Each structure stands twice: as structure tokens, then as C-alpha cells.
Amino acid sequence: RAWAALGFETHHLYDEQGAKLIPGDLVMAEGLEDKFLPHIPGATYVLHNCDWSKYGEREARYLALQVYTHDVLDRDCRRLAPFTYHQSVPGCLGVLYQPWATNLLPEEINLENSRLERSANVVWVGTIGDGVFGNREQIDPFRKEAGAHGFVWWQLPTCNDELHRTAIKMAALAPTITGKWQTEVGYIPCRAFKNVSYGQPCLTNSAAVYSALNGHATLDTDTAHLFAVGIHVAEDREAIADAMRYVQAEHTFINRCQRILEVIA
């Protein structure tokens, strides 16, 4: 949808339909759907989590797409924008590191959603788990504090886009809490941008998320206290609208596609 909004004719092809590609195409693929991806001279490829060894020896225009984490700062990379870096790699177009974004286009972000009447639900869309990459230890204090104040914790492990947007925009709160590993490496989950674009304040324990939103967020590593602060932050509807404007300008897939074009030009 973002490429179409930028004026490109777009097609969503399944792996076996790759024979339809022609020189001049910009091809995006990820590692679960590139088994039969053909090499088309003159095409440009943007590849996420693909087996790079399949492409590294080909004389073609290949760009690897990865998410930002703090270890990017230890590499020889060119900074394109906050949390967006390009690493040169011989024989290809290199690696572009950037966060994901809200799935709304700029014109679809409705600032009036900042002023909606809210439910008594605290909503989390996604998984909650344990282990090295888990987040339960960080989420539980927020969840328990919400329950102690009479709010209903509502988790949606999976849902369609419409339910996702409705549940978030009508929620009392929808935090962006990262687990220990994500917090330490600086991973920025897309829920930060989605939740704000749907009309919620960003309540987070992640300094990277706070910085990515240029301070249009509330940061507290004590997630129980984050809830206590958050119920007051949610009343500042103009601050929420300001955060929405920032995401509208900086964190949609329009911005991400423009960075890809900047690198492959």
C-alpha cells in the first residue's frame, strides 16, 4: 500500500509466480518466500531475512533489509535518519537497518481518535512469554497495577487489522513494554508506532522507543509506576495528537520506502 501511494504499480506475488518478474522491477521478499525467487538481470531486490549466500555471488542489485538494534552503532554504517543506517557491503547494495512502522498511511491517521471516549480495557495485542526473549516479567507489574485500579487487562495474541485498530483506539491504555532482551539491544517494536497512530499515548520502558518518538512518549523502567503515570498522561489529548502528528510525519511505511529508494538510487 505504501509503494502504491508513492505512485508505483504494485503486485503481491507468491513464490512460484516469480517468473512474472522483468528487468526494472523492484522486488521485495523475505526468507520464507524466496525459495524460487529468480535472478532477473536489471531488477533490484530488497531481501529481509533471506539466505544471503544464495545472492552474494550474483552480480545484481541486492539490498538486505534489517531492523535497527544498537549493535549497528559498532559497525561502519552511514546514518540516514534517527535509528536508520546503511552499511556498505562489497558486491551488493549493502544492508539497510531501520525500524518497522505503523501500517496506516499518513492520511489514514485520524487525529480525532486522540479524543475518543475510552473503555476500561488495557489492551495488549501480541504475545506474552518467558525465556531469553520474553516480556512477561516486564508486563506483569503493569498488568497487576491496572487490575488493582479496576481496569480489565485484555490480550489479543492475534487479530485482524480492523479489530486491532478498534481495540487500541478505544482502550483506556495500550502500553509499549519491551522485554529485557529487546530493551538492552534497542529493538523498537512496531506497536509503538501503531498504538500512537491509532490514538494512544506511548507508555514505554524502552529508552530506544522513547527516542524514536522524539520524546512524544512516557518513559519509566518501573512498569507498575508507568501505569500510574499513564492514566494521567492519557487525559492529555493534545499531547496524544502531537505524538500522532510525529508518527504521521516520520514513522509510516512511506518513510521506510523512501529510505529504500534513497539507498538503491
Side-chain angles (χ1 to χ4, degrees), residues 32-69:
L32 296 178
E33 288 290 344
D34 75 329
K35 183 178 180 181
F36 302 106
L37 188 63
H39 168 58
I40 305 296
T44 299
Y45 294 79
V46 180
L47 306 170
H48 178 61
N49 285 348
C50 294
D51 180 1
W52 189 247
S53 65
K54 296 196 304 185
Y55 306 97
E57 297 180 357
R58 300 179 182 182
E59 290 298 323
R61 292 172 54 81
Y62 292 96
L63 174 71
L65 186 65
Q66 285 295 342
V67 295
Y68 170 90
T69 51

Side-chain angles (χ1 to χ4, degrees), residues 191-221:
R191 72 163 39 83
F193 309 125
K194 288 179 177 178
N195 288 359
V196 170
S197 72
Y198 301 162
Q200 282 288 334
C202 180
L203 310 176
T204 188
N205 63 329
S206 165
V209 169
Y210 180 84
S211 296
L213 284 168
N214 199 31
H216 293 285
T218 298
L219 173 64
D220 199 320
T221 56

Side-chain angles (χ1 to χ4, degrees), residues 33-204:
E33 288 290 344
D34 75 329
K35 183 178 180 181
F36 302 106
L37 188 63
H39 168 58
I40 305 296
T44 299
Y45 294 79
V46 180
L47 306 170
H48 178 61
N49 285 348
C50 294
D51 180 1
W52 189 247
S53 65
K54 296 196 304 185
Y55 306 97
E57 297 180 357
R58 300 179 182 182
E59 290 298 323
R61 292 172 54 81
Y62 292 96
L63 174 71
L65 186 65
Q66 285 295 342
V67 295
Y68 170 90
T69 51
H70 288 328
D71 60 354
V72 170
L73 303 177
D74 298 325
R75 301 169 187 168
D76 185 15
C77 294
R78 176 169 59 105
R79 183 181 184 273
L80 303 180
F83 298 96
T84 305
Y85 291 81
H86 177 247
Q87 180 182 15
S88 295
V89 177
C92 66
L93 295 172
V95 185
L96 176 62
Y97 302 93
Q98 60 181 351
W100 300 118
T102 178
N103 56 349
L104 295 182
L105 298 176
E107 63 271 19
E108 295 171 336
I109 297 177
N110 184 357
L111 298 181
E112 290 303 310
N113 286 349
S114 65
R115 305 185 183 280
L116 294 176
E117 291 297 321
R118 310 291 188 177
S119 70
N121 296 327
V122 176
V123 176
W124 180 269
V125 176
T127 58
I128 299 174
D130 302 298
V132 174
F133 304 110
N135 53 13
R136 190 185 309 277
E137 183 179 347
Q138 290 71 35
I139 289 174
D140 271 355
F142 192 102
R143 179 182 60 80
K144 292 176 181 177
E145 195 70 14
H149 284 79
F151 290 85
V152 177
W153 179 265
W154 191 19
Q155 182 193 2
L156 297 170
T158 59
C159 62
N160 61 40
D161 285 348
E162 183 177 1
L163 176 57
H164 186 170
R165 291 193 298 270
T166 300
I168 294 296
K169 75 180 182 181
M170 300 304 297
L173 298 173
T176 297
I177 296 173
T178 56
K180 183 176 185 291
W181 181 85
Q182 287 189 346
T183 304
E184 290 176 348
V185 303
Y187 176 78
I188 302 167
C190 62
R191 72 163 39 83
F193 309 125
K194 288 179 177 178
N195 288 359
V196 170
S197 72
Y198 301 162
Q200 282 288 334
C202 180
L203 310 176
T204 188

Side-chain angles (χ1 to χ4, degrees), residues 229-251:
V229 174
I231 56 178
H232 299 292
V233 169
E235 296 175 358
D236 190 343
R237 303 307 175 90
E238 191 52 47
I240 297 172
D242 285 343
M244 294 175 73
R245 293 186 187 98
Y246 186 74
V247 169
Q248 190 176 46
E250 301 292 339
H251 291 297

